Amino acid sequence: MVTRVAAAAPWRIWVVWAVGVAAYIVSVTNRTSLSAVGVDAAERFQADASTLSMFAVIQLAVYGLMQIPVGLLLDRYGARPIITIGMLLMATGQLVMAFAPNVGIAIFARMLLGAGDAAIFPSVLRVVATWFPDQRSPFIVQMTGIVGQLGQLLALLPMAALLHATSWSVAFGSLAGLGVLFAVLTFGVIRNRPPGRDADIAVNTETGAIRVVTSAADLREGFRESWGHPATRLAFWSHFTTPFAGTAFVMLWGFPFLTSGQGLSPATASLIVSVFVVFGMIVGPVIGLLSSRHPMRRSRLLVLPIVGIQAVVWIAVIVWPGQTPLWLLFGLALALATGGPASMIAFDHARTYNPSHRLSTANGIVNGGGFIAALIAIFLIGLAMDLQGAGTPENYSLEAFKIAFLTQLPLWALGSLMIVIERKRTRVHLGIEEPRRRRPRPGSNPNPNPGA
């Protein structure tokens, strides 16, 4: 017998979602708050390039490590308290950053920020799963991710303009105040579930079927079992290879490269990074549509060509003699913007080829690929700047930046090679292709037991 569950009023559903998405926008703003003020941070803390990289590296590392604890807490307490605590953690991190006297305290602030940021998106996804019908959830999730990227725009011109018009403490203190405001707003508006339900469940409004919503942290199946499926490894390397260059560019190194390296004004640099954000929001649905229409050719049709486009355009920027023309820099922004949407294909791989009981574990592994690559890329760029004697803003140079960005090439090469290998293994596993037979050695008997 199927129990029918009354639906919440549409206006209330959309209000809860709107507040959740607004909180996610604030989360992304906090996450990328150093993107336009990286040079100011280096000067304030007298930090070389490697140290500046650690701000982003440690922040992302904490974000990744917190995913499983956040999932477990969501299962136990629901979205409302977790998203509120996440906003308060980010506010605390930005307040500490506002008055940090040295690099150590500043890194601690970014750790708090990463921990708070880790709670927001999973909580919003849980809100979507429990408040919207099953049929609409995939579209709402996609819209949540797209709209949330508006936070990157707020971290560009507004953040830099506020800092330069006032002070470091005022700018980051304002972000802390915004976090407190949204902690109050989310606690006041968001509820774990619609009225009349005593558990986190999702309802199919056509059939009346009910399922319990659990978090993305599913520990019932081990890492080994999920990793053992070649489709999970294909997804991991797809997510490893596609978004890291854009992440490194927009989170930390793009703005200093454009201003201190290319000699652009902050306004022009912000425009280029804004094009990156907006084009990513536009091209995302297109890539998603192509992925759904060509499920057996995703790697060859989308993932590998997008990786190739990013690498080719970056190489063109690097080898261009002297300052790069604006049209090519805008082309770079467009090329890098495709990486984020292309990385979502990785989750399509995991969802398509993994059984539902271990899908969440597979998704956690896949998500780790992008974090690992971004951490490595950000750190290697900073290390390369230091090794060239260009580790501080007064020593930044265009040639040093160009050489530093070459460190991305090995990551693309490794990721692309592994995509090709794991794609072959996945297709063999699914019975689409025959396994490659080893050639018999000269003089050996290809059928040593003909009577068998």
Side-chain angles (χ1 to χ4, degrees), residues 69-422:
V70 164
L72 295 174
L73 291 171
L74 278 171
D75 273 342
R76 182 163 186 175
Y77 299 107
R80 183 192 187 197
I82 303 307
I83 197 172
T84 303
I85 292 171
M87 298 304 300
L88 290 174
L89 278 174
M90 285 193 294
T92 303
Q94 295 292 33
L95 187 63
V96 172
M97 192 72 174
F99 299 100
N102 53 52
V103 169
I105 300 298
I107 289 178
F108 174 68
R110 303 308 287 185
M111 293 174 66
L112 290 174
L113 186 65
D117 185 18
I120 307 304
F121 191 56
S123 297
V124 177
L125 292 186
R126 192 181 184 95
V127 168
V128 170
T130 53
W131 279 80
F132 284 89
D134 267 352
Q135 302 94 311
R136 303 182 70 177
S137 289
F139 173 75
I140 301 300
V141 167
Q142 184 183 44
M143 290 302 301
T144 300
I146 292 173
V147 175
Q149 298 314 303
L150 291 173
Q152 296 184 55
L153 297 179
L154 298 178
L156 293 173
L157 271 179
M159 180 63 181
L162 179 62
L163 188 150
H164 296 144
T166 55
S167 67
W168 178 276
S169 296
V170 170
F172 282 88
S174 298
L175 286 177
L178 188 65
V180 173
L181 172 64
F182 269 85
V184 174
L185 184 62
T186 53
F187 188 80
V189 175
I190 291 179
R191 294 294 183 269
N192 287 349
R193 59 191 72 93
R197 301 185 190 177
D198 57 3
D200 285 6
I201 59 175
V203 182
N204 187 313
T205 54
E206 293 179 357
T207 65
I210 298 172
R211 64 177 175 84
V212 177
V213 175
T214 57
S215 71
D218 184 354
L219 302 182
R220 292 173 300 175
E221 299 292 338
F223 177 93
R224 182 183 303 174
E225 184 176 346
S226 296
W227 183 256
H229 198 295
T232 303
R233 300 194 297 271
L234 172 62
F236 172 89
W237 288 109
S238 297
H239 202 262
F240 179 98
T241 313
T242 46
F244 74 82
T247 302
F249 189 84
V250 76
M251 278 201 70
L252 190 61
W253 289 117
F255 210 83
F257 167 70
L258 295 172
T259 53
S260 299
Q262 294 287 349
L264 301 181
S265 67
T268 304
S270 295
L271 178 61
I272 291 174
V273 180
S274 298
V275 167
F276 167 92
V277 177
V278 173
F279 187 70
M281 296 171 64
I282 294 172
V283 78
V286 177
I287 292 177
L289 179 62
L290 291 173
S291 175
S292 63
R293 287 188 176 182
H294 304 279
M296 304 309 296
R297 296 192 293 162
R298 293 166 178 162
S299 298
R300 286 188 174 180
L301 180 66
L302 295 169
V303 174
L304 291 174
I306 284 174
V307 171
I309 290 171
Q310 292 184 70
V312 167
V313 176
W314 248 129
I315 291 172
V317 170
I318 290 170
V319 301
W320 193 279
Q323 292 185 337
T324 309
L326 271 179
W327 64 265
L328 185 52
L329 291 176
F330 277 107
L332 176 65
L334 297 178
L336 295 180
T338 61
S343 71
M344 296 297 101
I345 296 173
F347 296 101
D348 290 337
H349 288 313
R351 182 175 62 252
T352 302
Y353 301 119
N354 274 277
S356 59
H357 67 272
R358 69 164 185 250
L359 176 58
S360 53
T361 305
N363 280 337
I365 294 172
V366 172
N367 206 24
F371 283 113
I372 292 172
L375 298 181
I376 295 172
I378 291 172
F379 177 73
L380 288 180
I381 292 169
L383 179 62
M385 293 291 288
D386 279 346
L387 292 177
Q388 296 175 84
T392 54
E394 59 270 17
N395 295 323
Y396 286 168
S397 69
L398 180 56
E399 291 306 315
F401 272 116
K402 288 184 175 182
I403 293 174
F405 281 116
L406 284 172
T407 58
Q408 298 173 113
L409 296 180
L411 296 177
W412 277 316
L414 172 64
S416 298
L417 175 62
M418 296 308 299
I419 288 171
V420 171
I421 293 173
E422 296 300 346

Side-chain angles (χ1 to χ4, degrees), residues 19-30:
V19 171
V21 171
Y24 181 47
I25 292 174
V26 173
S27 173
V28 174
T29 300
N30 280 276

Side-chain angles (χ1 to χ4, degrees), residues 42-61:
E43 293 175 345
R44 176 178 177 85
F45 298 110
Q46 297 297 302
D48 58 22
S50 296
T51 303
L52 190 61
S53 292
M54 294 306 296
F55 287 166
V57 167
I58 292 178
Q59 176 187 333
L60 289 177

